[in-house]
Amino acid sequence: MIAQACTSTCFQSLARYLDRPKPHRQALSRVAWTENRNLVCTGSLQKIAWEMTIVARGNERVQKPVCHVSLSWAPEDNPTRDQMTSVADNVVRCLSLSQHQAVFVAHGDEAYRHLHIMANRVHPETRLVQSDYRSYCAIEATLRHAEVQHGFRRVPGHLYQLPGQSPPERSQSLSKGAYKALCRGKALPFQMLVQRVAGRDFADASGWQDLSMRLARNGLSLKAQRSGLIVTDGFEYAKSSSIAPGVSLWRLEERFGEAFDQQRTMERDLSALGHDRTRDCGLGR
């Protein structure tokens, strides 16, 4: 199993996302079933979201009361509803949210089973907020033990491994979007395409300018984000750390002995490319 977890500000926005069919799956009902925990309302997801909002407003200091966890099983696992609910309850318990409002939303619009948890970090009685410190490590530990308990496919985690397991190489881990694309049997995900056409470029480059020029030959470029460095073709993107071992932003800066300066690198690349095109056209001789 794999999981994603985050906190956010608006229960209504998350409820709309969980309830709204995806464009490529309009013919299918997205929500397969739901289960509530510590809720008075048993109606639509929007009504549930509104009940959670009222409780969260009891603590004015909380900026992100929404806890959102998505759980995905391997296609071959095919868990039952009881098994999915059991795992979700254990995840809620490991996050110390068992006494908090929560709703489990199982989707049936993909080739694999997956479930979302929308929980309120604000306690319905005390109005105290539950911390999310090291929450993902707790979730990984819960999933690893659930895989053993239910006989699901075992997936070593980055933050928690069972005895005998080794943490996977991050460059070999697919993002959720890439995993979905593979399950649908579509074209290779962008992350894997970049690995194929530019994996050696990261290994062989001698500096930022050299790396940018190598990537530009395949229509790719580098961009800095708050979370690090990404590779993009202008439409899709992949984190550099997912392409090959040792190519995260800080590791590349350490290797090249120079900080990544996006604007300066782009200007040098454009200048070099313009010079090459002029030379190819027989001008400037």
Side-chain angles (χ1 to χ4, degrees), residues 33-42 48 51-52 55 81-90 92-93 97-105 115-120 122 124:
W33 50 266
T34 64
E35 286 204 18
N36 299 347
R37 296 291 184 268
N38 304 312
L39 286 162
V40 175
C41 177
T42 59
I48 290 173
E51 181 181 335
M52 291 185 179
V55 170
R81 175 170 175 168
D82 287 343
Q83 288 175 322
M84 295 174 72
T85 302
S86 174
V87 174
D89 276 324
N90 287 337
V92 168
R93 189 177 302 112
L97 294 174
S98 294
Q99 297 181 1
H100 292 233
Q101 298 167 313
V103 59
F104 305 157
V105 182
L115 175 146
H116 294 261
I117 301 170
M118 179 171 71
N120 193 346
V122 178

Side-chain angles (χ1 to χ4, degrees), residues 16 84 100 129 188 220 227 239:
R16 284 193 295 271
M84 295 174 72
H100 292 233
V129 63
L188 282 178
L220 302 172
S227 58
K239 293 182 179 179

Side-chain angles (χ1 to χ4, degrees), residues 11-271:
F11 290 103
Q12 282 79 14
S13 295
L14 177 56
R16 284 193 295 271
Y17 166 77
L18 296 177
D19 204 26
R20 183 184 301 144
K22 294 182 179 180
H24 69 285
R25 299 285 187 180
Q26 287 182 348
L28 298 176
S29 174
R30 189 176 195 201
V31 177
W33 50 266
T34 64
E35 286 204 18
N36 299 347
R37 296 291 184 268
N38 304 312
L39 286 162
V40 175
C41 177
T42 59
S44 67
L45 289 178
Q46 283 298 322
K47 290 182 179 179
I48 290 173
W50 180 243
E51 181 181 335
M52 291 185 179
T53 300
I54 293 174
V55 170
R57 286 178 178 173
N59 189 328
E60 297 180 352
R61 298 172 59 184
V62 181
Q63 296 182 349
K64 294 185 176 182
V66 184
C67 173
H68 177 204
V69 182
S70 64
L71 306 173
S72 299
W73 281 258
E76 63 267 25
D77 283 340
N78 196 30
T80 65
R81 175 170 175 168
D82 287 343
Q83 288 175 322
M84 295 174 72
T85 302
S86 174
V87 174
D89 276 324
N90 287 337
V91 168
V92 168
R93 189 177 302 112
C94 83
L95 297 175
S96 299
L97 294 174
S98 294
Q99 297 181 1
H100 292 233
Q101 298 167 313
V103 59
F104 305 157
V105 182
H107 284 165
D109 58 347
E110 298 289 355
Y112 56 94
R113 298 293 181 93
H114 62 290
L115 175 146
H116 294 261
I117 301 170
M118 179 171 71
N120 193 346
R121 296 177 59 221
V122 178
H123 194 280
E125 295 180 2
T126 66
R127 296 302 195 269
L128 297 177
V129 63
Q130 178 59 42
S131 170
D132 63 342
Y133 177 68
R134 291 185 61 81
S135 60
Y136 196 75
C137 184
I139 292 172
E140 279 204 354
T142 300
L143 298 189
R144 300 295 77 81
H145 291 289
E147 289 163 353
V148 175
Q149 178 185 354
H150 297 289
F152 298 145
R153 176 182 173 185
R154 300 189 184 186
V155 182
H158 291 287
L159 302 180
Y160 185 92
Q161 303 87 38
L162 294 173
Q165 292 182 332
S166 300
E169 177 60 56
R170 288 191 179 272
S171 63
Q172 301 303 314
S173 300
L174 292 179
S175 65
K176 187 175 181 180
Y179 179 73
K180 284 184 176 181
L182 280 182
C183 288
R184 295 188 194 118
K186 292 189 174 182
L188 282 178
F190 183 71
Q191 173 187 340
M192 297 181 69
L193 288 173
V194 175
Q195 288 174 338
R196 289 192 175 188
V197 303
R200 290 303 311 170
D201 293 332
F202 282 93
D204 297 339
S206 59
W208 288 117
Q209 184 176 8
D210 183 30
L211 176 57
S212 296
M213 292 295 294
R214 289 171 181 266
L215 295 176
R217 297 189 189 109
N218 289 301
L220 302 172
S221 61
L222 297 170
K223 292 186 181 297
Q225 288 191 337
R226 286 185 300 176
S227 58
L229 191 66
I230 64 170
V231 187
T232 180
D233 62 353
F235 300 95
E236 298 183 84
Y237 73 90
K239 293 182 179 179
S240 63
S241 57
S242 71
I243 305 304
V247 296
S248 61
L249 176 59
W250 74 271
R251 286 188 179 276
L252 287 173
E253 288 182 333
E254 182 180 56
R255 192 175 110 203
F256 295 153
E258 179 184 11
F260 176 69
D261 187 330
Q262 179 175 324
Q263 187 60 38
R264 186 176 61 185
T265 302
M266 289 175 61
E267 290 173 354
R268 288 187 305 198
D269 293 347
L270 289 173
S271 175

Side-chain angles (χ1 to χ4, degrees), residues 268-283:
R268 288 187 305 198
D269 293 347
L270 289 173
S271 175
L273 285 172
H275 176 71
D276 288 345
R277 289 184 181 131
T278 300
R279 184 172 54 193
D280 291 341
C281 293
L283 300 177

